[in-house]
Coordinates of all heavy atoms in Angstrom, one line a residue:
M121 N 110.2 -13.9 -77.6 CA 109.4 -14.9 -77.1 C 110.3 -16.0 -76.4 O 111.2 -16.4 -77.0 CB 108.5 -15.5 -78.2 CG 107.4 -16.4 -77.7 SD 106.4 -17.1 -79.0 CE 105.6 -15.7 -79.7
D122 N 109.9 -16.3 -75.2 CA 110.7 -17.3 -74.5 C 110.3 -18.7 -74.9 O 109.3 -18.9 -75.7 CB 110.7 -17.1 -73.0 CG 109.3 -17.1 -72.5 OD1 108.5 -17.9 -73.0 OD2 109.0 -16.4 -71.6
W123 N 111.0 -19.8 -74.4 CA 110.7 -21.1 -74.8 C 109.3 -21.6 -74.4 O 108.6 -22.2 -75.2 CB 111.7 -22.1 -74.2 CG 113.1 -21.8 -74.6 CD1 114.2 -21.3 -73.9 CD2 113.7 -22.0 -75.9 NE1 115.3 -21.2 -74.7 CE2 115.0 -21.6 -75.9 CE3 113.1 -22.5 -77.1 CZ2 115.8 -21.7 -77.0 CZ3 113.9 -22.6 -78.2 CH2 115.3 -22.2 -78.2
Q124 N 108.9 -21.2 -73.2 CA 107.5 -21.6 -72.7 C 106.5 -20.9 -73.5 O 105.4 -21.4 -73.8 CB 107.4 -21.3 -71.2 CG 108.1 -22.3 -70.3 CD 109.5 -21.9 -70.1 OE1 110.0 -20.9 -70.5 NE2 110.2 -22.8 -69.3
G125 N 106.8 -19.6 -73.9 CA 105.9 -18.8 -74.8 C 105.7 -19.5 -76.1 O 104.6 -19.5 -76.7
Q126 N 106.8 -20.0 -76.7 CA 106.7 -20.7 -78.0 C 105.8 -21.9 -77.9 O 105.0 -22.2 -78.8 CB 108.1 -21.0 -78.5 CG 108.9 -19.9 -78.9 CD 110.3 -20.3 -79.4 OE1 110.6 -21.4 -79.5 NE2 111.1 -19.3 -79.7
K127 N 106.0 -22.6 -76.8 CA 105.2 -23.9 -76.6 C 103.8 -23.5 -76.5 O 102.9 -24.1 -77.0 CB 105.7 -24.6 -75.4 CG 105.0 -25.9 -75.1 CD 105.6 -26.6 -73.9 CE 104.8 -27.9 -73.6 NZ 105.4 -28.6 -72.5
L128 N 103.5 -22.4 -75.7 CA 102.1 -22.0 -75.5 C 101.5 -21.5 -76.8 O 100.3 -21.9 -77.1 CB 102.1 -20.9 -74.4 CG 100.7 -20.3 -74.2 CD1 99.7 -21.3 -73.6 CD2 100.8 -19.1 -73.2
A129 N 102.2 -20.8 -77.6 CA 101.7 -20.3 -78.9 C 101.4 -21.5 -79.8 O 100.4 -21.4 -80.5 CB 102.8 -19.4 -79.5
E130 N 102.2 -22.5 -79.8 CA 102.0 -23.6 -80.7 C 100.7 -24.4 -80.2 O 99.9 -24.8 -81.0 CB 103.2 -24.6 -80.7 CG 103.0 -25.7 -81.6 CD 104.2 -26.6 -81.8 OE1 105.2 -26.3 -81.2 OE2 104.1 -27.6 -82.5
Q131 N 100.6 -24.5 -78.9 CA 99.4 -25.2 -78.4 C 98.1 -24.5 -78.7 O 97.1 -25.1 -79.1 CB 99.5 -25.5 -76.9 CG 100.6 -26.5 -76.5 CD 100.8 -26.6 -75.0 OE1 100.4 -25.7 -74.2 NE2 101.4 -27.6 -74.5
I132 N 98.2 -23.2 -78.5 CA 97.0 -22.3 -78.8 C 96.7 -22.4 -80.3 O 95.5 -22.6 -80.7 CB 97.3 -20.9 -78.4 CG1 97.3 -20.7 -76.9 CG2 96.2 -19.9 -79.0 CD1 97.7 -19.4 -76.4
M133 N 97.7 -22.4 -81.1 CA 97.5 -22.5 -82.6 C 96.8 -23.8 -83.0 O 95.9 -23.8 -83.7 CB 98.8 -22.3 -83.3 CG 98.7 -22.5 -84.8 SD 100.2 -22.9 -85.6 CE 100.6 -24.5 -85.0
Q134 N 97.3 -24.9 -82.4 CA 96.8 -26.2 -82.8 C 95.3 -26.3 -82.3 O 94.5 -26.8 -83.1 CB 97.6 -27.3 -82.2 CG 99.0 -27.5 -82.8 CD 99.9 -28.5 -82.2 OE1 99.5 -29.1 -81.2 NE2 101.0 -28.8 -82.8
I135 N 95.1 -25.9 -81.1 CA 93.7 -26.0 -80.6 C 92.7 -25.1 -81.4 O 91.7 -25.6 -81.8 CB 93.7 -25.6 -79.1 CG1 94.4 -26.7 -78.3 CG2 92.2 -25.4 -78.6 CD1 94.6 -26.3 -76.8
M136 N 93.1 -23.9 -81.7 CA 92.3 -23.0 -82.4 C 92.0 -23.5 -83.8 O 90.9 -23.4 -84.3 CB 92.9 -21.6 -82.4 CG 92.8 -20.8 -81.1 SD 93.4 -19.2 -81.2 CE 92.1 -18.4 -82.2
L137 N 93.0 -24.0 -84.5 CA 92.8 -24.5 -85.9 C 91.9 -25.7 -85.9 O 91.1 -25.8 -86.8 CB 94.2 -24.8 -86.5 CG 95.0 -23.6 -86.9 CD1 96.4 -24.0 -87.5 CD2 94.3 -22.6 -87.9
L138 N 92.1 -26.5 -84.9 CA 91.2 -27.7 -84.8 C 89.7 -27.3 -84.6 O 88.8 -27.8 -85.2 CB 91.7 -28.7 -83.8 CG 90.8 -29.9 -83.6 CD1 90.9 -30.8 -84.8 CD2 91.3 -30.7 -82.4
V139 N 89.5 -26.4 -83.6 CA 88.2 -25.9 -83.3 C 87.6 -25.2 -84.6 O 86.4 -25.4 -84.9 CB 88.2 -24.9 -82.1 CG1 86.9 -24.2 -82.0 CG2 88.5 -25.7 -80.9
F140 N 88.3 -24.4 -85.2 CA 87.8 -23.7 -86.4 C 87.5 -24.7 -87.6 O 86.6 -24.5 -88.4 CB 88.7 -22.5 -86.9 CG 88.4 -21.3 -86.1 CD1 89.4 -20.8 -85.2 CD2 87.3 -20.6 -86.2 CE1 89.2 -19.7 -84.4 CE2 87.0 -19.4 -85.4 CZ 88.0 -19.0 -84.6
A141 N 88.4 -25.7 -87.7 CA 88.1 -26.7 -88.8 C 86.8 -27.4 -88.5 O 86.0 -27.6 -89.4 CB 89.3 -27.6 -88.8
V142 N 86.6 -27.8 -87.3 CA 85.4 -28.6 -87.0 C 84.2 -27.6 -87.1 O 83.1 -28.0 -87.7 CB 85.4 -29.2 -85.5 CG1 84.1 -29.7 -85.1 CG2 86.5 -30.2 -85.5
T143 N 84.3 -26.4 -86.6 CA 83.2 -25.4 -86.7 C 82.9 -25.1 -88.2 O 81.7 -25.1 -88.6 CB 83.6 -24.1 -86.0 OG1 83.9 -24.4 -84.7 CG2 82.4 -23.1 -86.1
A144 N 83.9 -25.0 -89.0 CA 83.7 -24.7 -90.4 C 83.0 -25.9 -91.1 O 82.1 -25.7 -92.0 CB 85.1 -24.4 -91.1
F145 N 83.5 -27.1 -90.8 CA 82.8 -28.2 -91.4 C 81.4 -28.3 -91.1 O 80.5 -28.6 -91.9 CB 83.6 -29.5 -91.0 CG 83.0 -30.7 -91.6 CD1 83.2 -31.1 -92.9 CD2 82.1 -31.6 -90.9 CE1 82.7 -32.2 -93.5 CE2 81.6 -32.7 -91.4 CZ 81.8 -33.0 -92.7
V146 N 81.1 -28.1 -89.8 CA 79.7 -28.2 -89.3 C 78.8 -27.1 -90.0 O 77.7 -27.4 -90.5 CB 79.6 -28.2 -87.8 CG1 78.2 -28.0 -87.3 CG2 80.2 -29.4 -87.2
A147 N 79.4 -25.9 -90.0 CA 78.6 -24.8 -90.6 C 78.4 -25.0 -92.1 O 77.3 -24.8 -92.6 CB 79.4 -23.5 -90.4
G148 N 79.4 -25.5 -92.8 CA 79.3 -25.8 -94.2 C 78.3 -26.9 -94.5 O 77.5 -26.9 -95.4
Y149 N 78.3 -27.9 -93.6 CA 77.4 -29.1 -93.8 C 75.9 -28.7 -93.5 O 75.1 -29.0 -94.3 CB 77.8 -30.2 -92.8 CG 77.0 -31.5 -93.0 CD1 77.3 -32.3 -94.1 CD2 76.0 -31.8 -92.1 CE1 76.5 -33.5 -94.2 CE2 75.2 -32.9 -92.3 CZ 75.5 -33.8 -93.3 OH 74.8 -34.9 -93.5
V150 N 75.7 -27.9 -92.4 CA 74.4 -27.5 -92.1 C 73.8 -26.5 -93.1 O 72.7 -26.7 -93.5 CB 74.4 -26.9 -90.7 CG1 73.0 -26.2 -90.4 CG2 74.7 -27.9 -89.6
L151 N 74.6 -25.6 -93.6 CA 74.1 -24.6 -94.6 C 74.2 -25.2 -96.0 O 73.7 -24.5 -96.9 CB 75.0 -23.3 -94.4 CG 74.8 -22.6 -93.1 CD1 75.8 -21.4 -93.0 CD2 73.4 -22.2 -92.9
G152 N 74.9 -26.3 -96.2 CA 75.1 -26.8 -97.5 C 75.9 -25.9 -98.4 O 75.6 -25.8 -99.6
S153 N 76.9 -25.2 -97.8 CA 77.6 -24.3 -98.6 C 79.1 -24.5 -98.4 O 79.7 -24.3 -97.3 CB 77.3 -22.9 -98.2 OG 78.1 -21.9 -98.8
F154 N 79.8 -24.9 -99.5 CA 81.3 -25.0 -99.4 C 81.9 -23.7 -99.2 O 82.9 -23.6 -98.5 CB 81.8 -25.7 -100.7 CG 83.2 -26.0 -100.7 CD1 83.8 -27.0 -100.0 CD2 84.1 -25.1 -101.4 CE1 85.1 -27.3 -99.9 CE2 85.5 -25.4 -101.4 CZ 86.0 -26.4 -100.7
Q155 N 81.4 -22.7 -99.8 CA 81.9 -21.3 -99.7 C 81.9 -20.8 -98.2 O 82.8 -20.2 -97.7 CB 81.1 -20.3 -100.6 CG 81.6 -18.9 -100.5 CD 80.8 -18.0 -101.4 OE1 79.8 -18.4 -102.0 NE2 81.3 -16.7 -101.5
M156 N 80.8 -21.1 -97.5 CA 80.7 -20.7 -96.1 C 81.7 -21.5 -95.3 O 82.3 -20.9 -94.4 CB 79.3 -21.0 -95.6 CG 79.1 -20.6 -94.2 SD 79.4 -18.8 -93.9 CE 78.1 -18.1 -94.7
M157 N 81.9 -22.8 -95.6 CA 82.9 -23.6 -94.9 C 84.3 -22.9 -95.0 O 85.0 -22.8 -94.1 CB 82.9 -25.0 -95.4 CG 83.9 -25.9 -94.6 SD 84.0 -27.5 -95.3 CE 84.9 -27.3 -96.8
V158 N 84.7 -22.6 -96.3 CA 86.0 -22.0 -96.5 C 86.1 -20.6 -95.8 O 87.1 -20.3 -95.3 CB 86.2 -21.9 -98.0 CG1 87.5 -21.1 -98.3 CG2 86.3 -23.3 -98.6
L159 N 85.0 -19.9 -95.9 CA 85.0 -18.5 -95.3 C 85.2 -18.6 -93.8 O 86.0 -17.9 -93.2 CB 83.8 -17.8 -95.6 CG 83.6 -16.4 -95.1 CD1 84.7 -15.5 -95.7 CD2 82.3 -15.8 -95.4
V160 N 84.5 -19.5 -93.1 CA 84.6 -19.7 -91.6 C 86.1 -20.1 -91.3 O 86.7 -19.6 -90.4 CB 83.6 -20.7 -91.1 CG1 83.9 -21.0 -89.7 CG2 82.2 -20.1 -91.2
Y161 N 86.6 -21.1 -92.0 CA 87.9 -21.6 -91.8 C 89.0 -20.5 -92.0 O 89.9 -20.3 -91.3 CB 88.3 -22.8 -92.6 CG 89.6 -23.4 -92.1 CD1 89.7 -24.0 -90.9 CD2 90.7 -23.4 -93.0 CE1 90.9 -24.6 -90.5 CE2 91.9 -24.0 -92.6 CZ 92.0 -24.6 -91.3 OH 93.2 -25.1 -90.9
A162 N 88.8 -19.7 -93.1 CA 89.8 -18.6 -93.4 C 89.7 -17.6 -92.3 O 90.8 -17.1 -91.9 CB 89.4 -18.0 -94.7
C163 N 88.6 -17.3 -91.8 CA 88.5 -16.3 -90.6 C 89.2 -16.9 -89.4 O 89.8 -16.2 -88.7 CB 87.0 -16.0 -90.3 SG 86.2 -15.0 -91.6
G164 N 89.0 -18.2 -89.2 CA 89.7 -18.8 -88.1 C 91.2 -18.8 -88.2 O 91.9 -18.6 -87.2
V165 N 91.7 -19.1 -89.4 CA 93.2 -19.0 -89.6 C 93.7 -17.6 -89.4 O 94.7 -17.4 -88.8 CB 93.5 -19.6 -91.0 CG1 95.0 -19.3 -91.4 CG2 93.2 -21.0 -91.1
T166 N 93.0 -16.6 -89.9 CA 93.4 -15.2 -89.7 C 93.4 -14.9 -88.2 O 94.4 -14.3 -87.7 CB 92.4 -14.3 -90.4 OG1 92.4 -14.7 -91.8 CG2 92.8 -12.8 -90.3
L167 N 92.3 -15.2 -87.5 CA 92.3 -14.9 -86.0 C 93.4 -15.7 -85.3 O 94.0 -15.1 -84.4 CB 90.9 -15.3 -85.5 CG 90.7 -15.0 -84.0 CD1 90.8 -13.5 -83.7 CD2 89.3 -15.6 -83.6
T168 N 93.6 -16.9 -85.7 CA 94.7 -17.7 -85.0 C 96.0 -17.0 -85.3 O 96.9 -16.9 -84.3 CB 94.7 -19.1 -85.6 OG1 93.5 -19.7 -85.3 CG2 95.8 -19.9 -84.9
G169 N 96.3 -16.5 -86.5 CA 97.5 -15.9 -86.8 C 97.7 -14.6 -86.0 O 98.8 -14.3 -85.5
L170 N 96.6 -13.8 -85.8 CA 96.7 -12.6 -85.1 C 96.9 -12.8 -83.6 O 97.5 -12.0 -82.9 CB 95.4 -11.8 -85.2 CG 95.1 -11.2 -86.6 CD1 93.7 -10.6 -86.7 CD2 96.2 -10.1 -86.9
I171 N 96.5 -14.0 -83.1 CA 96.7 -14.3 -81.7 C 98.1 -14.9 -81.4 O 98.8 -14.6 -80.4 CB 95.6 -15.2 -81.2 CG1 94.3 -14.4 -81.1 CG2 96.0 -15.7 -79.8 CD1 93.1 -15.3 -80.7
T172 N 98.6 -15.7 -82.3 CA 99.8 -16.5 -82.0 C 101.1 -16.0 -82.7 O 102.2 -16.2 -82.2 CB 99.6 -18.0 -82.5 OG1 99.4 -18.0 -83.9 CG2 98.5 -18.6 -81.7
I173 N 101.0 -15.2 -83.7 CA 102.2 -14.7 -84.4 C 102.9 -13.6 -83.7 O 104.1 -13.6 -83.5 CB 102.0 -14.4 -85.9 CG1 101.6 -15.7 -86.6 CG2 103.2 -13.8 -86.5 CD1 101.2 -15.6 -88.1
P174 N 102.2 -12.5 -83.3 CA 102.9 -11.4 -82.6 C 103.4 -11.8 -81.3 O 103.0 -12.7 -80.6 CB 101.8 -10.3 -82.4 CG 100.7 -10.7 -83.4 CD 100.8 -12.2 -83.6
N175 N 104.5 -11.1 -80.9 CA 105.1 -11.4 -79.6 C 104.4 -10.7 -78.5 O 104.8 -9.7 -77.9 CB 106.6 -10.9 -79.7 CG 107.4 -11.4 -78.5 OD1 107.0 -12.3 -77.8 ND2 108.6 -10.9 -78.4
W176 N 103.2 -11.2 -78.1 CA 102.4 -10.6 -77.0 C 103.1 -10.8 -75.7 O 103.9 -11.7 -75.5 CB 101.0 -11.3 -77.0 CG 100.2 -11.1 -78.2 CD1 100.0 -12.0 -79.2 CD2 99.6 -9.9 -78.7 NE1 99.2 -11.5 -80.2 CE2 99.0 -10.2 -79.9 CE3 99.5 -8.6 -78.2 CZ2 98.3 -9.2 -80.6 CZ3 98.8 -7.6 -78.9 CH2 98.2 -8.0 -80.1
P177 N 102.8 -9.9 -74.7 CA 103.5 -10.0 -73.4 C 103.2 -11.3 -72.6 O 104.1 -11.8 -71.9 CB 102.9 -8.8 -72.6 CG 102.4 -7.9 -73.6 CD 102.0 -8.7 -74.8
F178 N 102.1 -12.0 -72.8 CA 101.8 -13.2 -72.1 C 102.7 -14.4 -72.7 O 102.7 -15.4 -72.1 CB 100.3 -13.6 -72.1 CG 99.7 -13.8 -73.4 CD1 99.7 -15.0 -74.0 CD2 99.1 -12.7 -74.1 CE1 99.1 -15.2 -75.3 CE2 98.5 -12.9 -75.3 CZ 98.5 -14.2 -75.9
F179 N 103.4 -14.2 -73.8 CA 104.3 -15.2 -74.3 C 105.7 -15.0 -73.7 O 106.6 -15.7 -73.9 CB 104.4 -15.1 -75.8 CG 103.2 -15.6 -76.5 CD1 102.7 -14.9 -77.6 CD2 102.5 -16.7 -76.1 CE1 101.6 -15.3 -78.3 CE2 101.4 -17.2 -76.8 CZ 100.9 -16.5 -77.9
N180 N 105.9 -13.9 -72.9 CA 107.2 -13.6 -72.3 C 107.2 -13.6 -70.8 O 107.8 -12.8 -70.1 CB 107.6 -12.2 -72.8 CG 107.9 -12.2 -74.2 OD1 108.6 -13.0 -74.7 ND2 107.4 -11.2 -74.9
R181 N 106.6 -14.6 -70.2 CA 106.5 -14.6 -68.7 C 107.7 -15.3 -68.1 O 107.9 -15.2 -66.9 CB 105.2 -15.4 -68.3 CG 104.0 -14.7 -68.6 CD 102.8 -15.4 -68.1 NE 101.6 -14.7 -68.5 CZ 100.4 -15.2 -68.4 NH1 100.2 -16.5 -68.1 NH2 99.3 -14.5 -68.8
H182 N 108.5 -16.0 -68.9 CA 109.7 -16.7 -68.4 C 110.9 -16.2 -69.2 O 111.4 -17.0 -70.0 CB 109.5 -18.2 -68.5 CG 108.3 -18.7 -67.9 ND1 108.1 -18.9 -66.6 CD2 107.1 -19.1 -68.5 CE1 106.9 -19.3 -66.3 NE2 106.2 -19.5 -67.5
P183 N 111.4 -15.0 -68.9 CA 112.5 -14.5 -69.7 C 113.8 -15.3 -69.5 O 114.0 -15.9 -68.4 CB 112.7 -13.1 -69.2 CG 112.1 -13.0 -67.9 CD 111.0 -14.1 -67.9
L184 N 114.7 -15.3 -70.5 CA 116.0 -16.0 -70.4 C 117.0 -15.1 -69.7 O 117.0 -13.9 -70.0 CB 116.5 -16.4 -71.8 CG 115.6 -17.3 -72.6 CD1 116.1 -17.5 -74.0 CD2 115.5 -18.7 -71.9
N185 N 117.8 -15.6 -68.9 CA 118.8 -14.9 -68.2 C 120.2 -15.1 -69.0 O 120.7 -16.2 -69.0 CB 119.0 -15.3 -66.7 CG 117.8 -15.0 -65.9 OD1 117.1 -14.0 -66.1 ND2 117.4 -15.9 -65.0
W186 N 120.6 -14.0 -69.6 CA 121.9 -14.1 -70.4 C 123.0 -13.7 -69.5 O 122.9 -12.9 -68.5 CB 121.8 -13.2 -71.6 CG 120.7 -13.6 -72.5 CD1 119.4 -13.2 -72.6 CD2 120.9 -14.5 -73.6 NE1 118.8 -13.7 -73.6 CE2 119.6 -14.6 -74.2 CE3 121.9 -15.2 -74.1 CZ2 119.4 -15.4 -75.3 CZ3 121.7 -16.1 -75.2 CH2 120.5 -16.1 -75.8
L187 N 124.2 -14.2 -69.8 CA 125.4 -13.8 -69.1 C 125.8 -12.3 -69.4 O 125.6 -11.9 -70.6 CB 126.6 -14.7 -69.4 CG 126.6 -16.1 -68.9 CD1 127.8 -16.9 -69.4 CD2 126.6 -16.1 -67.4
D188 N 126.4 -11.6 -68.5 CA 126.9 -10.3 -68.7 C 128.1 -10.5 -69.6 O 128.8 -11.5 -69.5 CB 127.3 -9.6 -67.5 CG 126.1 -9.3 -66.6 OD1 125.1 -8.9 -67.1 OD2 126.3 -9.3 -65.4
P189 N 128.5 -9.5 -70.5 CA 129.7 -9.7 -71.3 C 130.9 -9.9 -70.5 O 131.8 -10.7 -70.9 CB 129.7 -8.4 -72.1 CG 128.3 -7.9 -72.1 CD 127.7 -8.3 -70.8
S190 N 131.1 -9.3 -69.4 CA 132.3 -9.5 -68.6 C 132.3 -10.9 -68.0 O 133.4 -11.5 -67.9 CB 132.3 -8.4 -67.4 OG 131.2 -8.6 -66.6
E191 N 131.2 -11.4 -67.7 CA 131.1 -12.8 -67.1 C 131.4 -13.8 -68.3 O 132.0 -14.9 -68.1 CB 129.8 -13.1 -66.5 CG 129.6 -14.4 -65.8 CD 130.5 -14.5 -64.6 OE1 130.8 -13.5 -63.9 OE2 130.8 -15.7 -64.2
A192 N 130.9 -13.5 -69.5 CA 131.1 -14.4 -70.6 C 132.5 -14.5 -71.0 O 133.0 -15.6 -71.5 CB 130.2 -14.0 -71.8
E193 N 133.3 -13.5 -70.8 CA 134.7 -13.5 -71.2 C 135.5 -14.4 -70.3 O 136.6 -14.9 -70.7 CB 135.3 -12.1 -71.2 CG 134.8 -11.2 -72.3 CD 135.2 -9.8 -72.2 OE1 136.0 -9.4 -71.2 OE2 134.8 -9.0 -73.0
K194 N 135.1 -14.6 -69.1 CA 135.8 -15.5 -68.1 C 135.7 -16.9 -68.5 O 136.6 -17.7 -68.1 CB 135.2 -15.3 -66.7 CG 135.4 -13.9 -66.1 CD 134.8 -13.8 -64.8 CE 134.9 -12.4 -64.2 NZ 134.2 -12.2 -62.9
H195 N 134.7 -17.3 -69.2 CA 134.5 -18.7 -69.6 C 135.0 -18.9 -71.0 O 134.6 -18.3 -71.9 CB 133.0 -19.1 -69.5 CG 132.5 -18.9 -68.1 ND1 132.8 -19.7 -67.1 CD2 131.6 -17.9 -67.6 CE1 132.1 -19.3 -66.0 NE2 131.4 -18.2 -66.3
P196 N 135.9 -19.9 -71.2 CA 136.4 -20.1 -72.6 C 135.3 -20.7 -73.5 O 134.4 -21.4 -73.0 CB 137.6 -21.1 -72.4 CG 137.2 -21.8 -71.1 CD 136.5 -20.8 -70.2
K197 N 135.4 -20.4 -74.7 CA 134.5 -21.0 -75.7 C 134.9 -22.4 -75.9 O 136.0 -22.8 -76.0 CB 134.5 -20.2 -77.0 CG 134.0 -18.8 -76.8 CD 134.1 -18.0 -78.1 CE 133.6 -16.6 -77.9 NZ 133.7 -15.8 -79.1
P198 N 133.9 -23.3 -76.2 CA 134.2 -24.7 -76.4 C 134.9 -24.8 -77.8 O 134.6 -24.1 -78.7 CB 132.8 -25.4 -76.5 CG 131.8 -24.3 -76.7 CD 132.4 -23.0 -76.1
Q199 N 135.9 -25.8 -77.8 CA 136.6 -26.0 -79.0 C 135.9 -27.0 -79.9 O 135.4 -28.1 -79.4 CB 138.0 -26.5 -78.7 CG 138.8 -25.5 -77.9 CD 139.1 -24.2 -78.6 OE1 139.3 -24.3 -79.8 NE2 139.1 -23.1 -78.0
V200 N 135.8 -26.8 -81.2 CA 135.2 -27.7 -82.1 C 136.3 -28.6 -82.7 O 137.3 -28.1 -83.2 CB 134.5 -26.9 -83.2 CG1 133.9 -27.9 -84.2 CG2 133.4 -26.0 -82.6
T201 N 136.1 -29.9 -82.5 CA 137.1 -30.8 -83.1 C 136.4 -31.5 -84.3 O 135.3 -31.9 -84.3 CB 137.5 -31.9 -82.1 OG1 136.3 -32.6 -81.7 CG2 138.2 -31.3 -80.9
V202 N 137.2 -31.5 -85.4 CA 136.7 -32.1 -86.7 C 137.4 -33.4 -86.9 O 138.6 -33.5 -86.9 CB 136.9 -31.2 -87.9 CG1 136.5 -31.8 -89.1 CG2 136.3 -29.8 -87.6
I203 N 136.6 -34.5 -87.0 CA 137.2 -35.8 -87.2 C 137.0 -36.1 -88.7 O 135.9 -36.2 -89.2 CB 136.5 -36.9 -86.3 CG1 136.8 -36.5 -84.8 CG2 137.1 -38.2 -86.6 CD1 136.0 -37.4 -83.9
S204 N 138.1 -36.4 -89.3 CA 138.0 -36.6 -90.8 C 138.2 -38.1 -91.0 O 139.2 -38.7 -90.5 CB 139.0 -35.8 -91.5 OG 139.4 -36.4 -92.7
K205 N 137.3 -38.8 -91.7 CA 137.5 -40.2 -92.0 C 137.8 -40.3 -93.5 O 137.1 -39.8 -94.4 CB 136.2 -40.9 -91.8 CG 135.8 -41.0 -90.3 CD 134.6 -41.8 -90.1 CE 134.2 -41.9 -88.6 NZ 133.0 -42.7 -88.4
K206 N 139.0 -41.0 -93.8 CA 139.4 -41.1 -95.2 C 139.1 -42.6 -95.5 O 139.5 -43.5 -94.8 CB 140.9 -40.8 -95.3 CG 141.2 -39.4 -95.1 CD 142.7 -39.1 -95.4 CE 143.0 -37.7 -95.2 NZ 144.4 -37.4 -95.4
K207 N 138.5 -42.8 -96.7 CA 138.3 -44.1 -97.2 C 139.5 -44.6 -97.9 O 140.0 -43.9 -98.7 CB 137.0 -44.1 -98.1 CG 135.7 -43.8 -97.3 CD 134.6 -44.0 -98.2 CE 133.3 -43.7 -97.5 NZ 132.1 -43.9 -98.3
G208 N 139.8 -45.8 -97.7 CA 140.9 -46.4 -98.4 C 140.5 -46.8 -99.8 O 139.3 -47.1 -100.1
S209 N 141.4 -46.7 -100.7 CA 141.1 -47.1 -102.1 C 141.2 -48.6 -102.3 O 142.1 -49.3 -101.8 CB 142.0 -46.4 -103.1 OG 143.4 -46.8 -102.8
K210 N 140.2 -49.2 -103.0 CA 140.2 -50.6 -103.3 C 140.8 -50.9 -104.6 O 140.5 -50.1 -105.6 CB 138.7 -51.1 -103.2 CG 138.1 -51.0 -101.9 CD 136.7 -51.6 -101.9 CE 136.1 -51.5 -100.5 NZ 134.8 -52.0 -100.4
K211 N 141.6 -51.9 -104.7 CA 142.2 -52.3 -106.0 C 141.8 -53.6 -106.5 O 141.4 -54.5 -105.9 CB 143.7 -52.3 -105.9 CG 144.3 -50.9 -105.6 CD 145.8 -50.9 -105.6 CE 146.3 -49.5 -105.3 NZ 147.7 -49.5 -105.2

């Protein structure tokens, strides 16, 4: 999944969970059933998971371009510098 696909999946997830939460609350209120509210919301969470968790093709519309191994060898790796701070002892 590419970066834009991850953003899209998160937006879809948030919208769907909000819609199902409101729908579940209204259904539970109208029917006077807490069990129905939980059931509607659980179905919504399951459906949201089935849509947003798998790596569907519409989440891969902007693939990342990686360097070829031969091209990567031409560029040196960045050096990591570690700065150590020593505290002086107080007497």
Side-chain angles (χ1 to χ4, degrees):
M121 188 179 297
D122 56 39
W123 298 110
Q124 287 86 2
Q126 288 179 8
K127 183 178 179 181
L128 177 62
E130 184 177 355
Q131 288 173 344
I132 291 171
M133 178 202 63
Q134 289 177 353
I135 291 169
M136 287 183 71
L137 288 178
L138 180 65
V139 167
F140 279 110
V142 170
T143 304
F145 179 78
V146 170
Y149 185 78
V150 168
L151 297 174
S153 172
F154 184 77
Q155 182 180 3
M156 182 58 69
M157 181 183 73
V158 171
L159 182 63
V160 169
Y161 188 68
C163 290
V165 169
T166 303
L167 182 63
T168 301
L170 289 173
I171 291 174
T172 59
I173 293 174
N175 192 12
W176 298 106
F178 60 90
F179 291 136
N180 291 314
R181 292 185 182 163
H182 309 281
L184 298 172
N185 295 324
W186 296 91
L187 288 177
D188 294 326
S190 60
E191 185 69 26
E193 291 174 359
K194 294 178 185 176
H195 302 286
K197 295 180 181 177
Q199 299 296 323
V200 178
T201 58
V202 178
I203 299 173
S204 157
K205 293 184 180 180
K206 293 183 180 179
K207 294 184 177 182
S209 61
K210 294 182 180 180
K211 292 182 183 179

